[in-house]
Amino acid sequence: MSEFTKTPWHVSVSSDCVRASPSRFIDITDGDLEEYCIGILSDYPAKDIKLIYSLGQAICSAKNSELKIGLEQDFEYFARAYDGLEMPKHLKSLSEDDIGAREERFLSNMMTVLMKNYYHILTEQEWEAAAAEDFLLTLPVNVKWDSMDDSLLHRTVWKSFPEMRDAYPACLRNRILIFHRGVTCAKMEGKYFAQKVEMLISFLVIQPILRLLLWTLDRLGLRKIERLNANVESSSSLYMRQSSLEGTTDLIQVQGDDHAASICIDRRTFHHIFPDARSVLKLMFKTIQLQEACWKDVVVVYRMANTSGARHEFDIKSSMADDAIERNIVLKRFSSIPIADMEIVFPEKNIHMPPSVLVNIAVTLFGAILTLIATIRGGLSLTSFWTTLTMLGTRLGQVLQTKRSQKSEIERSMSQLLSQRTVASQNAALSSIINDMFSQLVRQVVFAYFILVKHHGSTMAQLDERCEHILKQTFDLSIDFTCQEAIQVLKKWGIVTEDPTGRLLPLEIEECKIKLTDVLVTSSAQQRSTIQETLKGLGLQFGSTVKESTSYSVRAIDDIRKTSVQAIHGIVGLRSKKPAESESTPWGHMADQTPDQSQKNSIKSFFMRRRRKH
């Protein structure tokens, strides 16, 4: 085996910039990739290229069907619990131990699938960088930690991922899973006059007062009262969002050389551009440009807490038992989330008053106190007192109304932003993640094979470089292509071999079709028995149709059948028939009995006749 290693994916976050390795996910459509392969292999019939692509899809679907069925079956209970839907018969009979086993199995498998999809768990350093800055959120926002159940991610869930657990932020470890993939850049431009005014008030009024309060508490010995001190410092941090990473201008050193397509994004948030009041005054009426690194794709998994007791009075009451509802699990997928605004992906947030509202309230209360003192000392008549008090009360009401309006506006903007950035949730999110895993594997394997055919073989390093160059030049996709994983699969399928010098040699197209046919038939037969056992344990039959059952497993098997029957029809030259008419097709026969050697030989002989004819 030739020696060829890839530098592990990494991201380094400092107060000034974010540097990340290129993504390893091939973010193009199967149709575009297939069309390109047909173009570079013009000496071969286009239908043969399409057939190999279809065979690759069918094999990957068959080999991973058990994982897909297991994930969807395990998630069905928890998704229905979150939506408040009535449980089907086979889920109502589950014991508490069965539910617990499903929960632990789903979370463990979900983490495995996300890692196969080149997602990476949020690290402590990334979380600190997110908590230290603001980008799109112009008002102080804090996460409502008690809205998430803190017993979902117990230690047994992490037992297979100890290193991942150690790198994960302690405040998130028991409540929510956050995975991200890919880094991109978000930019904004404008005068942002209102935000500049808020920052000016914070620098010149709020921060000095809070510092004075902390100094007074320290002198009086009240800082020993931990809870009071924590509350004061928490309030201070709302407007003095100083990064714990400040001063860390150098990126963390990572072993190995950076990839040529590594991304480096300068962070230009409000707090970078306006470090003090002087900088705000200097740029008060000028247009500024903001820039922040974004996670291209984010997946979160959590459980809503107290769902049974926190219903709104206008919510429709579910017929499901409260203990079942409390076992809910929420799965959501987002796109283009700024690192500085990670609070967006959490289920509930607290939005605090901006500095200008605090100053208005303080001035109004101070005026009321002066009015009261003046009245007591006889400086104002009773009529004047009530008139002044009414005016102050009206002003206070206006200030509070402004505060509510601003809070409603930021909540509306946040909801709109969240809606725009939400790719999918629950079953749709799970399905898209699983499909991405299948598609990624197919694209890696088939693309690597066709490039080897085009160049009549190559070394691992040459293949890796060629694939990355083609994806960049043709699709403008800068990625770190992982050819090692593709070659392992190609060798396992028997369509690529390696000579003693480390050169990778592909089978010819005709021989590849024969070999992949054998792999598909064998894989389908092996997986059929596993699927049957899985469904039998759930009280379902292999021959059930989608209409007869709402089970996700039946849909998974139906997908495998459709993909496989199309591939085999293409091989033997049969016309695709409707499911009701497909009993005489090779797949219709395989659905009811294990394929024997004669079936494999009939398909192989078909290609041998074609080869002799040519």
Side-chain angles (χ1 to χ4, degrees):
M1 179 74 180
S2 59
E3 294 185 3
F4 178 77
T5 58
K6 302 283 285 186
T7 302
W9 189 93
H10 66 273
V11 59
S12 300
V13 183
S14 75
S15 61
D16 298 321
C17 67
V18 174
R19 187 176 183 85
S21 302
S23 174
R24 292 180 174 176
F25 183 72
I26 306 177
D27 193 13
I28 55 178
T29 65
D30 291 322
D32 289 341
L33 191 60
E34 185 181 85
E35 184 178 349
Y36 173 80
C37 293
I38 292 173
I40 64 171
L41 297 173
S42 56
D43 293 340
Y44 298 95
K47 62 180 181 180
D48 287 350
I49 307 299
K50 292 182 178 181
L51 179 58
I52 289 177
Y53 210 108
S54 297
L55 282 167
Q57 291 175 322
I59 293 169
C60 290
S61 180
K63 285 184 174 293
N64 291 281
S65 59
E66 184 180 356
L67 176 61
K68 179 178 181 179
I69 291 172
L71 269 172
E72 291 180 335
Q73 285 292 345
D74 288 338
F75 187 56
E76 183 181 10
Y77 181 92
F78 308 110
R80 285 179 168 272
Y82 176 71
D83 294 331
L85 301 177
E86 186 177 354
M87 296 290 181
K89 187 180 297 184
H90 69 279
L91 294 179
K92 282 183 179 179
S93 59
L94 292 176
S95 66
E96 190 67 23
D97 291 340
D98 292 335
I99 296 173
R102 281 187 175 224
E103 179 179 289
E104 185 175 335
R105 188 169 58 243
F106 168 75
L107 293 171
S108 180
N109 288 339
M110 190 70 215
M111 294 169 74
T112 300
V113 168
L114 289 172
M115 287 189 292
K116 285 185 176 181
N117 252 336
Y118 300 112
Y119 284 92
H120 304 272
I121 199 163
L122 190 74
T123 64
E124 183 75 39
Q125 186 198 25
E126 294 161 5
W127 173 247
E128 288 179 1
E133 300 287 344
D134 287 320
F135 184 62
L136 300 175
L137 305 181
T138 56
L139 286 183
V141 176
N142 277 356
V143 176
K144 277 188 178 180
W145 296 108
D146 58 357
S147 66
M148 296 172 288
D149 185 9
D150 61 359
S151 63
L152 174 64
L153 301 171
H154 42 81
R155 185 169 293 272
T156 54
V157 176
W158 292 102
K159 63 184 179 182
S160 301
F161 314 95
E163 294 181 0
M164 192 182 296
R165 183 182 186 276
D166 294 339
Y168 200 52
C171 59
L172 310 178
R173 198 169 291 161
N174 297 326
R175 292 184 173 91
I176 183 171
L177 285 175
I178 302 179
F179 281 80
H180 58 80
R181 181 179 66 191
V183 177
T184 185
C185 182
K187 297 182 179 181
M188 297 195 304
E189 185 178 69
K191 293 186 181 295
Y192 305 106
F193 186 77
Q195 285 74 24
K196 292 174 183 176
V197 171
E198 297 289 354
M199 295 194 74
L200 205 57
I201 294 173
S202 177
F203 282 125
L204 299 179
V205 181
I206 301 297
Q207 290 186 20
I209 292 175
L210 290 174
R211 290 195 185 100
L212 179 62
L213 178 60
L214 290 173
W215 179 84
T216 304
L217 290 173
D218 186 54
R219 289 291 181 178
L220 295 175
L222 296 179
R223 287 178 68 91
K224 295 179 180 179
I225 305 177
E226 294 182 1
R227 185 172 181 178
L228 177 60
N229 182 39
N231 290 338
V232 172
E233 291 187 354
S234 175
S235 300
S236 174
S237 66
L238 295 177
Y239 309 105
M240 304 190 311
R241 306 266 288 186
Q242 295 179 353
S243 171
S244 61
L245 301 173
E246 283 191 79
T248 314
T249 54
D250 295 329
L251 294 174
I252 292 178
Q253 296 297 319
V254 181
Q255 294 182 353
D257 297 330
D258 286 342
H259 193 277
S262 292
I263 304 169
C264 186
I265 300 174
D266 291 330
R267 306 184 71 190
R268 291 179 53 82
T269 62
F270 282 107
H271 291 85
H272 281 94
I273 298 175
F274 304 119
D276 51 35
R278 180 181 297 178
S279 60
V280 178
L281 291 172
K282 185 178 180 180
L283 300 173
M284 193 71 184
F285 301 102
K286 294 183 179 180
T287 300
I288 61 172
Q289 292 181 340
L290 302 176
Q291 178 175 288
E292 174 64 323
C294 293
W295 302 127
K296 190 177 291 185
D297 201 347
V298 176
V299 173
V300 298
V301 182
Y302 59 88
R303 169 180 289 150
M304 293 298 296
N306 301 323
T307 52
S308 59
R311 296 191 186 98
H312 192 275
E313 59 183 353
F314 290 105
D315 288 345
I316 298 176
K317 189 173 181 180
S318 173
S319 59
M320 190 183 301
D322 288 343
D323 57 345
I325 296 177
E326 290 177 357
R327 296 304 294 264
N328 71 90
I329 291 181
V330 184
L331 171 64
K332 291 190 176 183
R333 186 176 180 183
F334 305 94
S335 65
S336 300
I337 299 297
I339 293 179
D341 296 330
M342 282 298 294
E343 298 94 339
I344 293 176
V345 304
F346 288 85
E348 294 184 20
K349 282 79 68 175
N350 286 318
I351 302 175
H352 300 272
M353 290 185 292
S356 59
V357 175
L358 291 177
V359 171
N360 277 327
I361 292 175
V363 170
T364 303
L365 292 176
F366 184 70
I369 293 172
L370 290 180
T371 302
L372 180 61
I373 294 173
T375 302
I376 294 175
R377 303 179 73 176
L380 289 175
S381 64
L382 187 61
T383 302
S384 300
F385 169 75
W386 285 113
T387 301
T388 305
L389 193 62
T390 302
M391 292 175 61
L392 290 172
T394 302
R395 175 58 183 162
L396 183 60
Q398 291 175 345
V399 171
L400 294 176
Q401 181 60 37
T402 301
K403 176 252 182 183
R404 283 194 293 268
S405 299
Q406 290 183 347
K407 185 176 180 180
S408 298
E409 177 64 20
I410 195 67
E411 287 177 343
R412 184 194 65 79
S413 300
M414 192 180 298
S415 298
Q416 183 179 6
L417 177 66
L418 194 60
S419 176
Q420 293 172 349
R421 303 297 168 90
T422 302
V423 177
S425 62
Q426 298 302 83
N427 296 326
L430 180 61
S431 179
S432 67
I433 292 168
I434 295 174
N435 290 337
D436 275 356
M437 183 183 70
F438 293 162
S439 298
Q440 172 71 10
L441 180 58
V442 173
R443 291 166 193 163
Q444 283 181 334
V445 171
V446 178
F447 184 52
Y449 169 76
F450 285 138
I451 297 302
L452 287 174
V453 172
K454 171 66 178 177
H455 296 277
H456 308 287
S458 64
T459 64
M460 188 85 76
Q462 290 172 339
L463 175 63
D464 190 80
E465 184 178 351
R466 284 168 179 164
C467 290
E468 290 179 1
H469 177 75
I470 291 170
L471 291 172
K472 174 61 179 176
Q473 294 297 318
T474 307
F475 303 101
D476 193 25
L477 189 64
S478 298
I479 70 166
D480 184 9
F481 190 81
T482 52
C483 64
Q484 301 99 315
E485 298 179 10
I487 294 303
Q488 287 177 4
V489 176
L490 290 170
K491 287 181 177 180
K492 187 176 180 180
W493 290 356
I495 60 176
V496 167
T497 58
E498 185 176 5
D499 65 17
T501 65
R503 187 172 180 80
L504 301 168
L505 304 173
L507 290 183
E508 287 296 328
I509 295 293
E510 289 293 331
E511 294 176 349
C512 176
K513 291 190 295 184
I514 298 173
K515 190 66 177 178
L516 290 183
T517 302
D518 192 24
V519 174
L520 174 61
V521 173
T522 304
S523 299
S524 301
Q526 290 173 345
Q527 290 301 318
R528 179 181 177 276
S529 60
T530 304
I531 294 171
Q532 264 188 315
E533 291 298 323
T534 303
L535 295 179
K536 185 177 180 181
L538 297 168
L540 301 171
Q541 293 182 353
F542 183 81
S544 300
T545 64
V546 178
K547 292 183 179 180
E548 292 171 351
S549 173
T550 59
S551 169
Y552 301 121
S553 298
V554 177
R555 283 205 293 270
I557 295 171
D558 192 53
D559 290 341
I560 297 172
R561 280 180 172 175
K562 289 178 180 178
T563 308
S564 303
V565 76
Q566 290 172 1
I568 295 179
H569 281 176
I571 296 168
V572 299
L574 296 176
R575 301 178 65 181
S576 182
K577 299 180 180 181
K578 298 180 182 179
E581 302 171 351
S582 62
E583 294 179 356
S584 60
T585 66
W587 180 255
H589 186 66
M590 284 189 289
D592 297 321
Q593 67 181 51
T594 302
D596 54 21
Q597 191 62 36
S598 61
Q599 288 178 304
K600 300 178 186 178
N601 292 337
S602 64
I603 296 174
K604 290 181 180 179
S605 62
F606 170 79
F607 286 112
M608 295 303 293
R609 288 196 302 272
R610 285 191 60 183
R611 289 188 65 185
R612 287 195 294 269
K613 182 178 180 181
H614 289 294

